Amino acid sequence: MSSRFGEGSDAWLARAPKEKPGPEGGKRAENRRKRVNALCEAGVLLFLERGVEGVTVEDITREAGVAKGSFYRYFQDKRELVGAVMESVGGPVFEAMDECGALLEEARDNEALVQAYHHLGVTLTVAMMPYLDVVLLYLQEYRSPPVQVREPIRALADSIAVKAVELTEVARRHQLLRPFPAKVSAMAVVGAIERLTFAYLTGDPPEEPEVMAQSLISLVMDGLRPSSENVK
């Protein structure tokens, strides 16, 4: 089973049940870690192939090489597994956005504005590299109907949208952006990032990631920030 997950990643464990994990560093805890990782990785790879609704718990356990009964020791159902998978990218995304927000609060000129968004782009790129398949799954599924198993994906998308608007409002409050509606400009930026990321992950990138990031920052800033004489 091959994937683009980081080696030895334990991010899945943030959402897996904690009952009887065994002593930290003990054999039981290590077995639990391996099984949870195997189930999550198998789930993501199958979800990418068939969609989240087209995969059963039995499919996941078979792909992971884990007994079907063991699945329910770690997850109540498939939806909880999807939630654990989304948590692996959701946590780093919001940490990066919080850092960007702190930089925007301190920004008072165009240079600081660009640096804040550049920091966001770099931080997100580094954080997402171990989870490219999860990012692709998110982009593949989040616009689909919000059936129960897909709820964690839609919840993550909604939270990212809210946070993006909050960042835009911070920049506007310091008169670093033109007075477009915050939701409109934020969603335009988020949409562009998602389209470019999806193109890159599906093998049709317009440019290398670094070039795409720099170009997007320039396009966004040139379109949204006010002229220098209007900046504090």
Side-chain angles (χ1 to χ4, degrees):
M1 180 172 61
S2 62
S3 71
R4 293 176 288 186
F5 295 111
E7 288 296 323
S9 170
D10 289 330
W12 323 112
L13 299 180
R15 288 285 297 275
K18 301 297 190 296
E19 302 89 82
K20 301 180 181 178
E24 188 67 30
K27 184 175 181 181
R28 182 181 297 178
E30 176 63 14
N31 288 338
R32 174 178 180 274
R33 183 189 69 81
K34 289 180 179 179
R35 288 189 184 121
V36 169
N37 285 348
L39 289 167
C40 288
E41 292 191 19
V44 170
L45 296 178
L46 292 173
F47 295 154
L48 286 171
E49 293 175 2
R50 310 177 196 172
V52 294
E53 293 178 83
V55 177
T56 66
V57 168
E58 186 173 2
D59 293 332
I60 294 169
T61 54
R62 184 187 303 115
E63 180 72 14
V66 174
K68 184 177 179 180
S70 295
F71 179 95
Y72 297 102
R73 294 176 59 189
Y74 308 114
F75 302 103
Q76 292 184 3
D77 51 28
K78 191 170 62 171
R79 179 187 178 281
E80 189 170 63
L81 183 145
V82 172
V85 166
M86 289 299 112
E87 183 71 19
S88 69
V89 296
V93 164
F94 295 122
E95 288 178 12
M97 296 180 91
D98 285 341
E99 290 176 10
C100 179
L103 293 173
L104 289 174
E105 288 285 7
E106 299 175 357
R108 293 298 184 273
D109 55 35
N110 283 345
E111 181 179 358
L113 176 70
V114 173
Q115 288 177 347
Y117 282 113
H118 182 265
H119 176 80
L120 175 61
V122 171
T123 304
L124 283 176
T125 299
V126 172
M128 294 302 101
M129 287 306 293
Y131 301 105
L132 296 182
D133 282 331
V134 181
V135 175
L136 181 57
L137 176 64
Y138 167 81
L139 294 172
Q140 176 178 295
E141 295 281 343
Y142 83 98
R143 286 193 177 94
S144 300
V147 296
Q148 184 179 19
V149 71
R150 199 178 285 114
E151 285 177 356
I153 302 174
R154 291 296 295 268
L156 176 58
D158 291 343
S159 297
I160 289 174
V162 169
K163 195 66 178 179
V165 173
E166 290 176 359
L167 293 181
T168 302
E169 289 174 341
V170 172
R172 283 187 56 191
R173 188 166 65 246
H174 293 307
Q175 299 180 23
L176 297 171
L177 298 178
R178 295 178 185 176
F180 298 128
K183 190 170 184 178
V184 172
S185 54
M187 291 302 94
V189 174
V190 170
I193 292 171
E194 290 171 347
R195 289 293 298 273
L196 287 170
T197 303
F198 187 78
Y200 173 73
L201 293 177
T202 54
D204 187 28
E207 285 289 350
E208 291 300 311
E210 296 80 4
V211 176
M212 289 194 298
Q214 291 293 341
S215 298
L216 180 59
I217 290 171
S218 295
L219 286 171
V220 170
M221 293 301 98
D222 290 344
L224 295 180
R225 63 187 172 190
S227 58
S228 58
E229 61 265 24
N230 293 329
V231 177
K232 289 182 179 180

